[in-house]
Amino acid sequence: MKLKSAIAYEEKWAEKWAEAKIFEADPKPGKPKIFICVPYSYQNAPLHVGHGFTYTRGDAYARFKRMQGYNVLFPWAWHWTGEAVAGTCERLKRGDQSVRKMLVEIDGVPEELLDKFTDPVFVTRYYTEENRETVKAMGLSIDWRREFHTTDLHPYYSKFIEWQYITLKNKGYITKGRHPVVWCPRCKSPTGDHDRLAGEGVSPEEYTLVYFKFGDAYLAAATLRPETIFGVTNIWINPNHEYVLIRADGKKLIVSEQAAYKLKNQIKVEILKKIPADELIGKFAETPLTGKHIPIFPADLVDPDFGSGVVYSVPAHAPYDYAGIIALKNNQERIRKYQLKELVESIKPISIIRVPGYGEFPAVEEVERLGITSDTDPRLEEATKTIYSKEFHEGVLKDNCGEYSGKTVSEARDLVKEKLIEMGLGGVMWELPEKVICRCGTETIVKIVEDQWFLKYSDPEWKEKVKEHIKNMNIYPEEARRWFLNVVDWLRDWACARKTGLGTKLPWDPDWIVETLSDSTIYPALYTISKYLNLGIIKPDQLNIDVLNYIYLGAGDPEKISSQSGIKEEILKQMREEFLYWYPVDMRISAKELVPNHLTFYIFHHVAIFEPRHWPRGIGVNGMLKIEGEKMSKSKGNFIPLKKAIEIYGADATRATLLLAAEDLDDPDWRDKNAREARNMLDVLIRICRDVVSANSNDYTRVDEWLLSTLQRKMKKITSAMEKLKTRTAFNEALYGLYNDWKWYIRRTGGRLGKAAEKFLEEWVKILAPFIPFTAEECWSMLGKSGFVSLEKWPEPREELINEDAELREDLLKNLMEDIRSITEVYGKPPKKIVIYVSSKKKRELLGKAIELKSLESKAALGNLIKWMIAEKLADKKKAPTLAKLMVDTLASLTSKYKEKTLLNVAENELEFYEESREFLEREFNANVEIYSEDQENIYDPRNKASTALPLRPGIYIE
RNA sequence: GCGGGGGUAGCCAAGCCUGGUCAAAGGCGCAGGACUGAGGCUCCUGUCCCGUAGGGGUUCGUGGGUUCAAAUCCCACCCCCCGCACCA
């Protein structure tokens, strides 16, 4: 199971770290701590590069904080809770070939183990073993003494969950209720998205049943728009199907046969007798609320398989209904059969909703516009959607709607529904908007699960507390905060227990298992004490309610709890202390898909159970990984296990690729090309170390000053990016930013390394350590350093090494080179001779003057500068405007970065600096370089370029 | 539908909050050159258009607006991605 990294030295360092136990964290009183964690992953598959992204960010942050001197706890665990593994095992047992194929080809499971993969416990254990190796190979700086997995298969995890749920129940956060699910009648279980052949993403919708009095019974019509009851003109039923009389909801109802069967799964239903459609058609029923008597008509638009099989007709606002009227009028045979001629003629649409953009009868308009004459025309679907959405958002009920007149459609909808139910003239029916077919081939229905346990996330007080806390947390990036607040607002009660799969039983109702997202909320607290159990200091059985209440809530008397539980009082107190030391979690890092569920639940549960001082302090959210621009999925065949990436590119190259891909909420994109490039860069780093070690560096030049100065600036930038979890910015600067500085330095010195080189490299390696720790360790040892770079002090910028003059000089040199290049490029031929003219001493005053004028009145500065130049005889009337403009532009590009004093300083010694750089320039351009001051005697100036010299912007002549 | 994020040069991706210093960082790709026995690696240069002197022109989803000045601010529109509960 051991995996082999593509980078030879990685395994060595992983072993050394483990031997030295450098990531094991124990409380150190007085030393500031940081508790960092990432959500544990479900053990039904190998970890993939997407996991790797979040993990690497977490690890980089952990390593950064550790180097900054914090006592960092970064623990690990595995999620076994859930139903997915059991589902896969079932399918494998049934001989599903696609499962076999996926396991072998994508997940890399050895064929000979497949027989054992019918056992969920074996599967989760198998992946845990495999993934542990992957996490270790990735170089994550974990304290492995605290590891655990979930479910009652673990000796103490369920003790913890039982404590959590008893606590929640005692506090009133758990309730019992009913709950609609998509249900497969054959499998006798809920049909989740991944268990479907058709209907992905479809969830139950709530329809209102409206009861129309018919003799001593009621026709129950299902609708999404109960407010349209005021515009009803007739009822539709399907003439070719049987209806049934049922006893339900305390009365007799008439629905289609199929509907009766569906309703059975939702409410108590007793079927009394069959009623042929013919017995209903042509008769009248009474509309609730209005008391109007309306006729019952036949229509093909009615699908007895959908809803209740009874539809009430609102031709003014429902295109299907208007089309139904037209179709019926045109169907002479039916009219004759049921003798409906006059009745149908008398039907007139009743307008009840005012909506901008339409007249009296929106449905009539749409149907006529499209020229629809059949009530089964597929275009009716589109027309219905258009009007539904328009009326819902902009519609207002007219004066003929009783007490609802003047209300918006969206308001009236719920009010009418509630009123009908209250009066006993309405009910609820759940229905699927599209067919959902279970993987077993059976069509599913909506079932109401009774006695379902809920977490009461709807509780307003609970919500309020959570929101208040979210406002005070550190959330990166900031945009995520708004999202969290929104999720809290919209969160409803959560069905927190299941009947199947792995997990922990509800302590008060062992028929139920705590569901996967509900047993994974406060477990970071378990990390603070799991060490004691894993090391055998206490036994799992001793972890009873009182013990946990004491450790986590400080409740009870330790002496009594000690004698009751058999845990030494000293140990008990130590565990309490350890919890108090590490908690709260300072930073939890996760992908954004967990914002609407896990991360929000995580806050909810902490708020419910712990003291405010132990509520989560920070959350970092990141995007979701794509592969070569596409969503990663096993079915697409672009699934990349993390293990594989390590084997191909090595852990550090994988880490680098991931870190450079994105930050904040942006989705990172894994590209093979980038991974290979990252791999290259690591070699470059190693080579640089080798070169520096073998060089003897003595000189200390101005370029050395520059190198150290720019390093200090980069340190500042990288540090502040890391503090905000901007790992991409930080690593990009650390890797490429500093690399470019290094290249410039080598170029400037012509490869003769100065004193700064070694110092720079030393700091550079430290800065790289959180991101590519293996390579950093390797470099560190190559540099002859002892100990681990992982434990070195994070470099702090030293103000005294910042040298603005040196930085400006290098910038001027780069500008000069760019200008020379720009000229030669236009010229078309490489230069033979380059002449540089530095401005005269007198002209240097221009700089001071320009600065002065600019700060006084920026708008008039240019004009005044021109006048001043002419007055001071620095240029004639022809040239002064051009030069002045240039001066101002040059200044503008430099003032944002440099102090005025620096500009003046450097301008003072410009000539000297270019002289020093002559050799470099000659090398760069392979040409003779001459440097003059413009006011020097006997200068070589065939094209009169000396006069174009300005301070900080020399004149150039090229041959 | 509700909510969140986004549309920048051949590609990926910074910049946008705090308007000018932006033809717009960095990486990839491509072209030329150096190095090499050769290739790879590495290094240098170029990579919107025009230009025999450091210049000019047109660009940052579309259309308007604010401003002396907009990739950056405001309005409208178009398009893309993600989440929405029994998958974790």
Side-chain angles (χ1 to χ4, degrees), chain A residues 404-424:
Chain A
Y404 307 99
S405 301
K407 295 218 181 296
T408 64
V409 168
S410 53
E411 287 170 334
R413 181 162 300 174
D414 291 337
L415 292 172
V416 172
K417 176 185 115 189
E418 281 161 27
K419 182 79 177 178
L420 287 169
I421 292 173
E422 186 193 318
M423 292 171 71

Side-chain angles (χ1 to χ4, degrees), chain A residues 496-773:
Chain A
C496 64
R498 296 290 129 85
K499 294 269 183 173
T500 56
L502 301 180
T504 297
K505 292 184 176 71
L506 269 184
W508 63 85
D509 190 353
D511 284 350
W512 291 92
I513 295 162
V514 179
E515 164 277 342
T516 175
L517 282 166
S518 303
D519 84 338
S520 57
T521 58
I522 57 164
Y523 71 90
L526 187 54
Y527 287 129
T528 65
I529 61 160
S530 56
K531 180 182 79 179
Y532 292 86
L533 292 132
N534 289 350
L535 299 177
I537 296 167
I538 68 166
K539 299 269 175 301
D541 286 345
Q542 294 177 299
L543 215 56
N544 63 38
I545 302 286
D546 292 331
V547 169
L548 290 167
N549 273 337
Y550 172 71
I551 294 171
Y552 292 126
L553 306 173
D557 173 18
E559 205 184 318
K560 278 187 200 153
I561 296 167
S562 166
S563 63
Q564 168 256 88
S565 66
I567 300 173
K568 277 192 208 142
E569 190 179 342
E570 182 200 331
I571 297 293
L572 202 55
K573 283 184 169 162
Q574 202 182 324
M575 286 165 79
R576 168 71 176 160
E577 282 307 311
E578 178 134 13
F579 169 72
L580 288 175
Y581 179 81
W582 292 117
Y583 240 56
V585 177
D586 296 278
M587 180 59 72
R588 185 159 180 83
I589 295 174
S590 153
K592 63 185 174 186
E593 58 180 341
L594 299 186
V595 170
N597 43 65
H598 164 72
L599 289 170
T600 302
F601 297 177
Y602 162 73
I603 304 170
F604 262 96
H605 283 241
H606 275 89
V607 165
I609 293 172
F610 294 100
E611 300 169 60
R613 62 175 166 151
H614 293 142
W615 296 354
R617 212 168 263 165
I619 289 180
V621 184
N622 50 252
M624 284 163 57
L625 194 84
K626 296 184 169 195
I627 304 292
E628 309 287 339
E630 288 194 68
K631 194 176 168 165
M632 175 165 63
S633 77
K634 287 186 177 175
S635 56
K636 267 193 184 141
N638 64 355
F639 182 88
I640 304 181
L642 195 49
K643 183 172 86 168
K644 200 168 148 197
I646 297 170
E647 283 166 351
I648 297 174
Y649 310 101
D652 268 354
T654 300
R655 293 172 64 114
T657 308
L658 291 167
L659 287 169
L660 290 172
E663 63 194 5
D664 295 348
L665 295 179
D666 295 333
D667 293 331
D669 188 6
W670 173 274
R671 281 173 191 263
D672 166 73
K673 215 176 272 170
N674 294 356
R676 279 185 281 140
E677 165 59 24
R679 180 74 183 81
N680 258 337
M681 266 313 285
L682 301 179
D683 289 340
V684 170
L685 290 170
I686 297 282
R687 190 160 17 187
I688 290 173
C689 286
R690 195 180 304 138
D691 292 349
V692 170
V693 169
S694 60
N696 40 348
S697 36
N698 294 314
D699 312 346
Y700 194 68
T701 64
R702 285 183 168 181
V703 198
D704 287 78
E705 284 176 17
W706 170 83
L707 185 66
L708 292 181
S709 179
T710 193
L711 173 65
Q712 310 308 311
R713 288 194 195 277
K714 290 277 191 318
M715 283 176 191
K716 278 190 192 175
K717 198 171 171 185
I718 294 162
T719 305
S720 78
M722 278 309 278
E723 295 290 357
K724 286 174 285 183
L725 218 63
K726 287 193 174 278
T727 45
R728 184 194 132 97
T729 302
F731 184 48
N732 193 255
E733 280 302 321
L735 187 65
Y736 290 114
L738 288 173
Y739 179 49
N740 284 335
D741 290 343
W742 176 255
K743 280 196 288 189
W744 177 249
Y745 174 77
I746 296 296
R747 201 169 153 188
R748 282 282 278 127
T749 56
R752 290 189 301 277
L753 299 184
K755 275 209 161 105
E758 209 176 321
K759 186 71 200 153
F760 175 88
L761 193 56
E762 202 180 307
E763 303 289 42
W764 191 12
V765 170
K766 285 191 216 165
I767 291 168
L768 290 170
F771 311 102
I772 42 173

Side-chain angles (χ1 to χ4, degrees), chain A residues 26 82 93 136 152 164 214 227 284 308 326 347 505 561 673-674 793 823 930 952 957:
Chain A
D26 292 311
K93 239 186 245 172
K136 286 182 175 171
D152 50 15
Q164 177 186 358
F214 183 81
E227 79 283 4
F284 284 78
S308 63
I326 294 176
I347 298 293
K505 292 184 176 71
I561 296 167
K673 215 176 272 170
N674 294 356
K793 183 98 185 65
I823 294 165
E930 289 176 14
L952 306 181
Y957 167 70

